[in-house]
Amino acid sequence: LDFVEFAGGVRQKSQLLLDPKGTAGGNATTDPDKNKTKGQTSSSVIFGGKDNEIKDSQNSTITAASGSAISSSDTSAIISSKDSNILIQKAFTTNKYGNVIISTENSTISHSVDMAAGGLNTYNNMIAAGSVIGTENSNNTVLLGGQLNTISGSRYSALIGGSQNKLGPEDGGGTAYLLHGAIIGGQQNILKHDRSVIIGGSSITSDATDTVYVEKLDVGSTAVFDQQIHVKGTALGTPTNGHITASGNISASGTII
């Protein structure tokens, strides 16, 4: 069913295309001259925007976006974004659903390699409110804000804010996932180890699992550590600022003041 605009009895353009059968069935597209559903797409909607495309996907939507595409990702969405894409290679991926991009520019969720140990999964990933950011070969991750940040080969992980940060396993995501990691803020930080976190700072690279990395730590009250404390820079503390209690070891390659 095609809703077409006419002026003076002359056909101008199609405004809304309802395709109950379609190639695979049940799609709706506004401005179908500029927005397209292709391949084995079914039960999907493109609403508003221009130059968008949904291909080989089910139950997916692109809303109020431009220059964006969803390919081979079911139950997925791109909302209020520009030149952003969810691109999954059908031959490599078995689980491909629940991927979402909201309010971004030049951002991508993708799966382009066969991870031998990790399986064929790219699902439940979200990118929001950033520019030139991307998630690849991952599942159950969040990439929120920032610029030029990337998550690759990861599960149950998050990257929030900052710029030029990278989260992914040491082997680049070829054979195993990075698990339960996070980067919060900072610039040019690289997290490569499971259950570790980088907070702020710049040019910090993880070298161990189960570790929190901070460039400078100001303790205003009391800090209690049950395990070891490794200080690579300078640790500042006076009786007026608070104190540090450690039941493990404290080692320092810098200065403790």
Side-chain angles (χ1 to χ4, degrees):
L1 182 60
D2 193 357
F3 292 83
V4 179
E5 176 187 353
F6 284 84
V10 178
R11 186 185 191 278
Q12 300 297 308
K13 60 182 294 187
S14 177
Q15 297 288 350
L16 173 65
L17 178 63
L18 300 178
D19 190 4
K21 295 183 179 179
T23 304
N27 302 309
T29 307
T30 60
D31 198 356
D33 293 334
K34 294 183 179 179
N35 296 313
K36 306 292 183 182
T37 57
K38 296 181 177 180
Q40 296 301 307
T41 296
S42 66
S43 303
S44 296
V45 175
I46 300 177
F47 189 81
K50 64 178 182 178
D51 302 323
N52 300 305
E53 178 181 298
I54 300 178
K55 181 179 180 181
D56 296 326
S57 303
Q58 298 180 4
N59 308 310
S60 294
T61 184
I62 297 177
T63 302
S66 66
S68 299
I70 297 175
S71 179
S72 300
S73 186
D74 300 334
T75 322
S76 298
I78 298 176
I79 301 170
S80 300
S81 297
K82 179 180 179 182
D83 299 324
S84 296
N85 302 287
I86 300 172
L87 304 175
I88 314 299
Q89 292 192 14
K90 292 174 65 177
F92 290 144
T93 313
T94 53
N95 294 317
K96 46 186 180 64
Y97 58 84
N99 298 302
V100 179
I101 295 176
I102 303 173
S103 188
T104 72
E105 183 175 0
N106 293 305
S107 299
T108 303
I109 296 174
S110 65
H111 190 125
S112 58
V113 298
D114 184 349
M115 295 180 65
L120 308 178
N121 305 298
T122 296
Y123 60 88
N124 294 345
N125 299 293
M126 184 177 75
I127 294 177
S131 64
V132 199
I133 54 181
T135 299
E136 182 180 29
N137 308 328
S138 301
N139 59 73
N140 296 289
T141 67
V142 174
L143 206 170
L144 180 61
Q147 184 180 41
L148 298 169
N149 293 323
T150 59
I151 295 176
S152 63
S154 301
R155 282 180 171 175
Y156 321 118
S157 298
L159 201 167
I160 302 172
S163 66
Q164 298 173 283
N165 295 313
K166 297 180 180 180
L167 190 154
E170 286 194 277
D171 65 0
T175 59
Y177 286 104
L178 181 149
L179 302 175
H180 309 111
I183 297 176
I184 303 172
Q187 184 178 29
Q188 296 180 331
N189 295 318
I190 301 173
L191 186 79
K192 302 188 293 184
H193 294 81
D194 293 347
R195 302 176 302 280
S196 291
V197 179
I198 298 175
I199 303 174
S202 64
S203 302
I204 298 172
T205 299
S206 69
D207 56 13
T209 60
D210 303 295
T211 303
V212 177
Y213 297 85
V214 182
E215 191 164 298
K216 295 181 180 179
L217 181 62
D218 187 347
V219 179
S221 182
T222 301
V224 179
F225 299 88
D226 292 329
Q227 300 296 325
Q228 294 183 348
I229 303 172
H230 298 277
V231 180
K232 293 186 177 180
T234 300
L236 302 176
T238 67
T240 57
N241 287 337
H243 63 277
I244 297 174
T245 302
S247 57
N249 298 321
I250 300 177
S251 64
S253 57
T255 303
I256 298 179
I257 301 174

